Amino acid sequence: YFIGRLAFNRKTALIAAATFAIYPAAIINTQHCYSEPFAYFLLTIWTTMVLALQLRHRKNRRIRACIWIGIGAFAGLLTLSKPAFIILPPIIAAELMALSIIGKIVHFRSPAERKTSILVALRKFVLRGALIALGALVVLTPWILFNKAATGQYSVFVNRVPSFNIFHGNQLKTDGWRCYPYFGTFPGGTPQVIASLLEDAKKSPLPFLGLQFKKIARLWSGVWNEYHYPLFGVPLAIQSIFHQLLILLGVIGLSLALAIRQGKTFSRSFSAAVVLGTIAIFHFVYIPFEAISRYAITAMPSLIILAAFVINRASGQIESRRALAGLLGFAVWAFFLISVSGN
């Protein structure tokens, strides 16, 4: 709700919050001891703080400093829960810095004014970066020291699972699925795994490339529901259709928000769409590994907010409340019929 409110408006926020509250994977998988539900909780808080500072009115300097430190702390927590996310905050920071500089170049016509405003913006980013680093160190330092005591090396996380995952996710004989028990030899560390996979790619380039395309569908097309649980009588197939519809609306919402400008400057919805779209697109980082639907759930809050943006814009085009109520009633009725036929 808070992300939708900061990025767009209250109606979009309500639609997004209600939609995620009934999103099947967010209900079914609360019983599992996986890192993903905790990770998208952390990612949601982190995104809220980023948008609160970037898209809203000025706040007290001390409050802003605390929020910047909080952004670093939650980025550290997110990294510990999902190591792949260690590169997401720097990517979004670079994008927001670029948008800020471009906005100042467009706004100021005088070269001297442009130069001064850009230098001021860069100094601010350096100061904010220092506060973010401070927040991250508060979280990461104890874990780094623990790893030193346990392994003899200073590290944020132990590089074991990524190598194991990327190896099994690219085995042609198992079609990229992890098999139990696995019959074969695990090469060992990351350099050995990469060398082994490159050798497989040279021997069978087309099947290896085809496997990468298969993993796109494995990551995105199905709702996370490993044991095929029905939800309130709704079977897995219908849950997946709902999941796919949200992704479709999210992509449309991203395109629409990026198309909205305010004169010559970037609009609030444009900047928010950059952040939310980056979070969603970032999840393609899982394609080289064993891509499964569980890994995509951390993208769904962002996609659902963008989907809610489209739904809100579409509903605003319908002047008659009776027509809107009828359309919503028909959607509920159609979904009920599909659910019954699926059962």
Side-chain angles (χ1 to χ4, degrees):
Y1 171 83
F2 286 114
I3 295 175
R5 184 72 183 89
L6 291 166
F8 302 112
N9 53 47
R10 184 176 287 106
K11 188 175 179 181
T12 298
L14 288 171
I15 294 171
T19 302
F20 196 74
I22 62 171
Y23 177 60
I27 300 173
I28 291 171
N29 294 294
T30 53
Q31 62 186 308
H32 292 124
C33 189
Y34 285 119
S35 64
E36 280 76 14
F38 184 57
Y40 71 65
F41 168 71
L42 295 173
L43 183 59
T44 302
I45 295 177
W46 183 85
T47 307
T48 301
M49 290 191 293
V50 170
L51 297 187
L53 288 175
Q54 292 295 320
L55 305 178
R56 284 301 184 182
H57 303 295
R58 294 181 179 273
K59 296 178 176 61
N60 180 280
R61 288 187 177 181
R62 292 181 180 178
I63 295 176
R64 291 178 67 87
C66 290
I67 297 177
W68 283 114
I69 293 173
I71 287 175
F74 275 90
L77 289 171
L78 187 62
T79 298
L80 293 179
S81 66
K82 296 294 291 182
F85 282 89
I86 192 172
I87 60 175
L88 178 61
I91 291 174
I92 291 181
E95 291 175 341
L96 291 177
M97 183 173 67
L99 290 178
S100 176
I101 292 174
I102 292 172
K104 294 182 184 303
I105 291 174
V106 173
H107 180 74
F108 294 102
R109 295 184 178 181
S110 167
E113 290 179 333
R114 289 179 181 175
K115 182 178 180 180
T116 301
S117 63
I118 291 173
L119 289 175
V120 170
L122 290 175
R123 282 197 294 268
K124 287 182 178 179
F125 273 106
V126 171
L127 176 60
R128 293 166 183 172
L131 293 174
I132 291 173
L134 175 62
L137 285 174
V138 169
V139 172
L140 296 178
T141 300
W143 188 247
I144 293 173
L145 295 176
F146 172 80
N147 281 338
K148 170 62 176 177
T151 66
Q153 295 181 347
Y154 291 105
S155 61
V156 177
F157 42 80
V158 179
N159 188 17
R160 178 182 58 84
V161 175
S163 300
F164 188 77
N165 199 329
I166 196 172
F167 175 76
H168 287 285
N170 291 280
Q171 293 301 297
L172 295 177
K173 58 185 177 183
T174 60
D175 200 32
W177 295 111
R178 190 180 304 184
C179 300
Y180 297 97
Y182 174 72
F183 295 99
T185 303
F186 182 64
T190 301
Q192 292 82 2
V193 168
I194 298 299
S196 173
L197 296 181
L198 290 176
E199 186 65 25
D200 291 342
K202 290 179 181 179
K203 291 179 180 178
S204 306
L206 291 180
F208 191 86
L209 180 62
L211 176 59
Q212 309 311 310
F213 283 104
K214 286 182 184 179
K215 289 193 284 186
I216 296 176
R218 294 174 186 176
L219 179 67
W220 292 109
S221 65
V223 66
W224 176 25
N225 189 345
E226 294 176 351
Y227 299 104
H228 297 189
Y229 291 131
L231 181 66
F232 307 128
V234 180
L236 175 64
I238 308 304
Q239 295 176 35
S240 290
I241 291 174
F242 180 51
H243 167 82
Q244 293 161 7
L245 177 62
L246 290 175
I247 293 177
L248 174 62
L249 291 175
V251 173
I252 296 173
L254 176 61
S255 303
L256 179 62
L258 291 176
I260 297 175
R261 298 285 191 91
Q262 292 178 343
K264 294 183 179 180
T265 60
F266 298 113
S267 66
R268 186 178 77 184
S269 60
F270 181 94
S271 300
V274 169
V275 174
L276 297 173
T278 300
I279 291 173
I281 294 171
F282 175 79
H283 284 71
F284 279 94
V285 73
Y286 287 108
I287 297 301
F289 301 88
E290 182 195 21
I292 54 178
S293 57
R294 173 160 57 93
Y295 297 152
I297 192 173
T298 42
M300 293 310 296
S302 295
L303 287 170
I304 286 175
I305 292 167
L306 291 168
F309 174 66
V310 169
I311 295 171
N312 181 31
R313 297 279 296 193
S315 65
Q317 302 301 316
I318 302 176
E319 297 181 359
S320 171
R321 291 186 178 181
R322 183 177 298 178
L324 178 59
L327 181 62
L328 291 174
F330 174 77
V332 172
W333 176 73
F335 186 77
F336 173 76
L337 287 182
I338 294 172
S339 301
V340 172
S341 63
N343 286 324

